[in-house]
Amino acid sequence: MAIRFGYWMPLGSGGFVISNVPQRTDWTLDYNASLAREAEELGFEYGLAPARFIASHGWELQQEAITCTAVLSAQTKRLKLISAIHTGFWHPAMIAKVGATIDVYSKGRFAINILTGWFKDEFRAFGEPWLEHDERYRRSEEFIQVLKGLWTQDRFTFKGDFYSINDAWLKPRPISQPYPEIFQGGNSKAARRMAAKYSDWYFLNGTTVEGAKQQIDEVRALAKAEGRTVKFGLNGFIIQRPTEREALEQLEAIIAGADPEIVQAFAEQVKQAGASTADKIGMWADSSHANLVQPNDGFKTRLFGPPELIAERIRAYEAVGVDMILCAFLNFTDELPAFGREVIPLLNTAKASRAHENRLEAAAAECGKGMSCDRMQIQNKARGK
């Protein structure tokens, strides 16, 4: 299967960089519905609805993620819609019911992104207790166990440290099998262990090819020990321009236009997230000022330049195990469609070409087993004729 593509839904005002550089992006329903329909026509398979409740990195105004997912499911036909959910703000049984409803109504296009939470002020504002880092991940693990139990079992009972379910049932259950896909992010050891044991997808913040490989190899090994497999998504901020020089000039303009007060405030907010674990490898632990201008380290992925160069860099990530690029753009209005028209086909064509070459090799090997085949016969066998 070719590498997949998703995109961040722009549900908050201010776009996806903490910069005063002009952006052609909107956060309204009509805009997001139009963008989602265009995205699915151009080969994007996933749209991620981010969750934020009070401003953190310039998003003064935000829409609620699962509500937007429900609304956009009626506006689209193929796009799988991922709702980001903070486990500290919701009860898993309620989310199981809401998710099942959206999954049924959308014919299997609901997914969930589990947010363990890094923004302490948000929890404090809502009067929710701020748990120690690894405790937050233990709560998320129980949250997923409740989701899966209610989504797959006729009767479900669960006794945990955070949630208790007593002979509960949920009807109708989701139509996605065995249940809607479960995504998560995080970079700490606790996050990696959680992904290995419970999640279907592990989102990586933007990073180098080497950094992605290290995380993927570790989570794969942990998952294998649990008898599971995990898929991997990577955050990438796309700057697609006719030349790499023009793309880098745009990057410099974004960083030069960064609002220093907001970036510094964001840096202070995420400092505890990156350094709150004993191993100091949490998210943003090694992010510079320039990296923080794109809140999920999207600049680190270096997807800048003309379509061919961007595709080449994506292939390098695919080679180390990345299954999806989660894209953000400066100007969603024209840059998301350009990426869909000019970059995605390059990756799909390359994958199709490799698959055909593999079929040719298999057909040639089969013909070599006591059979005499000319080149045309091998070509026909590869095509299934």
Side-chain angles (χ1 to χ4, degrees):
M1 180 179 291
I3 192 167
R4 303 173 183 183
F5 295 94
Y7 75 98
W8 288 91
M9 295 180 182
L11 302 184
S13 61
F16 282 84
V17 291
I18 307 173
S19 177
N20 295 316
V21 68
Q23 301 182 59
R24 292 185 297 280
T25 298
D26 194 7
W27 62 289
T28 62
L29 170 60
D30 287 346
Y31 181 87
N32 271 282
S34 176
L35 192 68
R37 289 191 292 266
E38 188 162 28
E40 68 180 3
E41 290 297 325
L42 290 170
F44 287 87
E45 295 183 43
Y46 294 86
L48 172 60
R52 191 85 283 140
F53 291 92
I54 62 175
S56 61
H57 48 75
W59 277 22
E60 182 182 357
L61 305 169
Q62 319 93 24
Q63 304 288 20
E64 194 281 313
I66 201 163
T67 306
C68 293
T69 297
V71 173
L72 291 175
S73 70
Q75 304 277 336
T76 51
K77 296 178 180 178
R78 293 184 296 278
L79 196 69
K80 184 160 283 192
L81 301 158
I82 312 169
S83 289
I85 297 296
H86 286 86
T87 56
F89 295 157
W90 301 92
H91 192 286
M94 300 302 101
I95 294 301
K97 184 63 176 177
V98 171
T101 301
I102 298 173
D103 196 64
V104 170
Y105 279 6
S106 68
K107 298 180 175 60
R109 294 188 292 116
F110 173 78
I112 188 168
N113 184 34
I114 298 294
L115 303 181
T116 293
W118 59 265
F119 190 11
K120 185 176 182 179
D121 288 349
E122 200 164 51
F123 280 72
R124 182 177 293 162
F126 289 169
E128 288 296 318
W130 182 246
L131 304 179
E132 184 271 330
H133 178 275
D134 286 11
E135 286 294 282
R136 298 199 301 276
Y137 275 94
R138 283 210 311 118
R139 176 172 59 191
S140 291
E141 290 178 357
E142 287 193 8
F143 196 100
I144 295 174
Q145 290 175 76
V146 173
L147 289 179
K148 290 182 178 179
L150 289 170
W151 280 342
T152 61
Q153 297 183 28
D154 291 334
R155 295 274 182 167
F156 180 63
T157 295
F158 181 83
K159 304 297 181 185
D161 293 331
F162 302 95
Y163 306 109
S164 180
I165 305 294
N166 303 304
D167 196 31
W169 67 93
L170 188 152
K171 293 182 180 181
R173 297 208 291 262
I175 65 174
S176 293
Q177 292 298 317
Y179 45 76
E181 290 180 295
I182 297 173
F183 291 73
Q184 71 157 95
N187 189 50
S188 65
K189 293 293 185 181
R192 299 178 194 197
R193 289 192 298 267
M194 174 176 146
K197 293 178 69 175
Y198 297 106
S199 299
D200 303 305
W201 285 83
Y202 179 63
F203 274 137
L204 288 70
N205 259 18
T207 185
T208 62
V209 173
E210 295 75 17
K213 183 179 187 304
Q214 185 275 323
Q215 290 186 59
I216 290 170
D217 288 350
E218 181 177 342
V219 174
R220 273 183 175 165
L222 292 169
K224 184 177 181 181
E226 298 287 339
R228 304 183 69 248
T229 58
V230 178
K231 295 186 284 290
F232 299 91
L234 174 70
N235 183 58
F237 190 85
I238 315 296
I239 304 180
Q240 181 180 333
R241 298 292 185 272
T243 66
E244 184 178 16
R245 179 179 178 180
E246 289 172 272
L248 293 175
E249 288 174 351
Q250 177 66 84
L251 175 66
E252 291 173 4
I254 293 170
I255 296 171
D259 188 314
E261 291 186 7
I262 297 178
V263 174
Q264 183 57 38
F266 180 59
E268 292 298 321
Q269 291 161 2
V270 303
K271 184 184 296 181
Q272 60 79 30
S276 62
T277 58
D279 45 41
K280 302 293 188 280
I281 62 167
M283 293 171 67
W284 303 289
D286 61 350
S287 297
S288 66
H289 170 88
N291 295 142
L292 292 173
V293 173
Q294 206 291 311
N296 284 90
D297 284 339
F299 296 161
K300 290 183 180 180
T301 314
R302 307 296 293 176
L303 300 181
F304 312 140
E308 295 78 10
L309 179 58
I310 293 173
E312 178 184 327
R313 290 176 175 170
I314 290 174
R315 289 188 196 104
Y317 283 106
E318 184 181 14
V320 299
V322 172
D323 298 290
M324 182 206 301
I325 302 295
L326 182 64
C327 304
F329 304 89
L330 178 66
N331 303 308
F332 277 72
T333 298
D334 42 19
E335 293 183 22
L336 181 147
F339 183 89
R341 289 192 300 266
E342 299 169 19
V343 178
I344 290 179
L346 293 177
L347 277 304
N348 289 343
T349 300
K351 194 76 173 185
S353 176
R354 289 197 297 274
H356 181 64
E357 289 172 4
N358 290 339
R359 289 194 296 270
L360 280 174
E361 291 176 3
E366 184 178 337
C367 285
K369 295 176 181 178
M371 298 174 59
S372 177
C373 300
D374 60 23
R375 182 173 179 81
M376 181 62 70
Q377 288 173 311
I378 292 174
Q379 293 276 6
N380 288 336
K381 286 181 71 65
R383 297 188 184 102
K385 295 181 179 179

